[in-house]
Amino acid sequence: MDPADGDSPPITSTIRIIAFGAPARVWSWIQERGTARIVGPIATLGFFITLWYLFSGVFMAPQRRFLVPPPHEVWSVSVIDADKRAELLDGLWVTTQVSLAGLFIAIVVGVTVATIMVTASWIEVSLYPYAVLLQVIPILAIVPLLGLLFGFDFRSRVIVAVMICLFPIITNTLFGLKSADSAMHDLFSLQEASRATRFWKLQLPAALPAMFTGFRIAAGASIIGSIVGDFFFRQGEPGLGILLDRYRAQLRTPELYGAIFYSAILGIAFFSAFGWLAKRTTGRWATTQAT
């Protein structure tokens, strides 16, 4: 039938419907079946790997391509090669120990400080500026001093991790403790509830979503602190930071990218673990609010 007689859409309109309507219907079908959370990240990863191959094999000058090895070479060196994989996994284990120790201490200290601050406004005014000061001081400037004071071993690395983790835990916990509904506070006052009862039954449950948000931020920061400590102290068992510095100095770029890969996997594991714990502790609705 002739498209000009008005009984059928023009050919260009038909092509436009096929070109733009089909992908929309496919994406709608994916969302309806709840698989967007899987397809989206996989598609993004594929796009990133494609760009990586293009950058390492096309955009980089031939004499500089060793600086950006292709993904399969990084995978072969950091995962397939048994000796180099063992070296990276040993460094990963040391970094994990430092990060966990620093994160645990920061959670205990940060929650305790925030709980003390919320008891009275004058305490908050007295302590909060120093929490901010801890955040704004360049950590790289005081790492050498920490090494001189406490040595250049495991303990100093943990201290660096604690210092980086403290601020998000304090601020998020303090915000959560102060976010309880004012009407609920009035109800507790009418019931003449004690300060301890008000804290355990009102303020702490209301604060849990914000607290876990702070824990998740601090979990990633603890890995950064561990690697920063490694970079400067360079003593004791080598963690990922020492390996990164060593590979950089020796221009072993596949191993360098592999160390970055393992540190990213560790960060994702920490973040996901606290997300899982938040769901089990506060419920799905609270986790949604926190994120």
Side-chain angles (χ1 to χ4, degrees):
M1 183 179 295
D2 186 4
D5 60 11
D7 292 334
S8 62
I11 295 177
T12 56
S13 298
T14 303
I15 295 174
R16 190 178 297 111
I17 292 172
I18 294 174
F20 296 99
R25 288 195 298 271
V26 171
W27 182 247
S28 176
W29 179 84
I30 290 174
Q31 288 182 313
E32 289 175 359
R33 283 151 181 81
T35 56
R37 289 178 176 268
I38 300 175
V39 175
I42 292 176
T44 304
L45 178 62
F47 178 73
F48 172 75
I49 292 177
T50 301
L51 285 181
W52 188 349
Y53 271 112
L54 289 173
F55 196 80
S56 64
V58 178
F59 300 140
M60 291 288 291
Q63 64 272 19
R64 293 176 55 86
R65 286 177 184 173
F66 73 96
L67 296 174
V68 187
H72 66 270
E73 184 177 347
V74 175
W75 178 266
S76 176
V77 168
S78 59
V79 178
I80 305 301
D81 190 302
D83 294 334
K84 295 176 182 177
R85 182 183 67 233
E87 183 181 46
L88 287 167
L89 289 177
D90 289 342
L92 177 65
W93 173 237
V94 173
T95 300
T96 302
Q97 290 178 295
V98 174
S99 301
L100 286 176
L103 181 60
F104 175 77
I105 295 173
I107 288 175
V108 173
V109 174
V111 172
T112 302
V113 170
T115 302
I116 294 173
M117 291 168 64
V118 83
T119 57
S121 59
W122 68 269
I123 299 179
E124 179 183 350
V125 172
S126 300
L127 295 181
Y128 194 77
Y130 296 100
V132 176
L133 184 65
L134 188 67
Q135 176 70 12
V136 299
I137 290 178
I139 192 66
L140 297 180
I142 62 174
V143 164
L145 178 61
L146 293 175
L148 293 174
L149 291 174
F150 302 103
F152 297 87
D153 54 3
F154 181 86
R155 178 174 54 181
S156 295
R157 300 185 201 181
V158 172
I159 292 174
V160 174
V162 170
M163 293 182 65
I164 291 182
C165 293
L166 265 179
F167 185 75
I169 295 176
I170 292 175
T171 53
N172 281 274
T173 302
L174 182 64
F175 170 78
L177 291 173
K178 296 170 68 175
S179 65
D181 195 301
S182 58
M184 295 300 297
H185 274 291
D186 293 339
L187 178 62
F188 273 69
S189 298
L190 288 173
Q191 297 296 324
E192 298 182 350
S194 65
R195 177 172 291 181
T197 301
R198 187 189 300 267
F199 176 79
W200 288 107
K201 294 189 176 182
L202 175 60
Q203 290 177 290
L204 184 60
L208 284 176
M211 289 172 63
F212 274 102
T213 299
F215 296 164
R216 295 170 82 177
I217 296 172
S222 68
I223 301 171
I224 297 175
S226 175
I227 292 177
V228 168
D230 276 351
F231 262 109
F232 277 85
F233 299 139
R234 300 180 184 178
Q235 294 186 19
E237 293 185 85
L240 288 178
I242 293 178
L243 294 180
L244 283 166
D245 189 53
R246 182 183 302 168
Y247 297 151
R248 175 200 58 81
Q250 298 173 355
L251 289 179
R252 295 164 61 184
T253 51
E255 291 92 332
L256 179 64
Y257 281 79
I260 296 172
F261 169 76
Y262 279 104
S263 62
I265 292 297
L266 181 60
I268 293 172
F270 275 26
F271 189 85
S272 301
F274 276 99
W276 176 87
L277 188 59
K279 287 183 180 181
R280 295 298 181 273
T281 305
T282 64
R284 187 176 297 276
W285 66 271
T287 305
T288 302
Q289 286 185 344
T291 57

